[in-house]
């Protein structure tokens, strides 16, 4: 009977230590993770890869957006978007229209 009591205590203590270690690791990861860069400014765009981004008004666009292959680069959170109608991408950007009243054919 003494051996079962000892095994029970050891198992309880081991489980408690592992649970505390898991909690500590979770908190460390949560608190030290870098925050993603905020999208700053009205009508800003931030994405991994962008075929066509349009942030202006009264634009007349014809045809399909350019195809953007999987290009290397940083992750989206690494690249800040600054200012009104700003555009940033972690990969490629095919076309950006930021003005008003553009005629693209």
């Amino acid at each position: 009977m003494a051996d079962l009591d000892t095994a029970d205590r050891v198992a309880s203590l081991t489980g408690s230590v592992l649970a505390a270690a898991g909690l500590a690791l979770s908190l460390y990861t949560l608190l030290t993770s870098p925050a993603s860069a905020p999208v700053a400014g009205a009508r800003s765009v931030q994405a991994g890869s962008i075929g066509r981004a349009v942030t202006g008004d009264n634009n007349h666009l014809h045809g399909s957006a350019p195809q953007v292959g999987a290009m290397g680069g940083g992750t989206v959170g690494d690249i800040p978007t600054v200012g009104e109608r700003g555009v940033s991408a972690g990969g490629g950007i095919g076309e950006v229209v930021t003005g008003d009243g553009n005629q693209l054919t």
Side-chain angles (χ1 to χ4, degrees):
M1 184 95 146
D3 290 336
L4 289 178
D5 287 336
T6 303
D8 180 45
R9 289 181 188 141
V10 169
S12 294
L13 180 62
T14 302
S16 297
V17 169
L18 290 176
L23 177 63
L25 180 62
S26 297
L27 289 174
Y28 174 78
T29 303
L30 179 65
L31 297 174
T32 60
S33 297
S36 63
V39 176
R43 298 192 281 183
S44 295
V45 177
Q46 185 179 43
S49 291
I50 300 171
R52 177 185 286 158
V54 181
T55 62
D57 295 320
N58 300 319
N59 291 303
H60 301 284
L61 309 175
H62 301 283
S64 60
Q67 295 296 316
V68 178
M71 301 177 75
T75 60
V76 175
D78 294 339
I79 302 167
T81 302
V82 181
E84 182 177 346
R85 300 182 188 191
V87 177
S88 69
I93 299 176
E95 180 177 72
V96 177
V97 180
T98 59
D100 295 330
N102 293 298
Q103 304 285 327
L104 300 176
T105 57

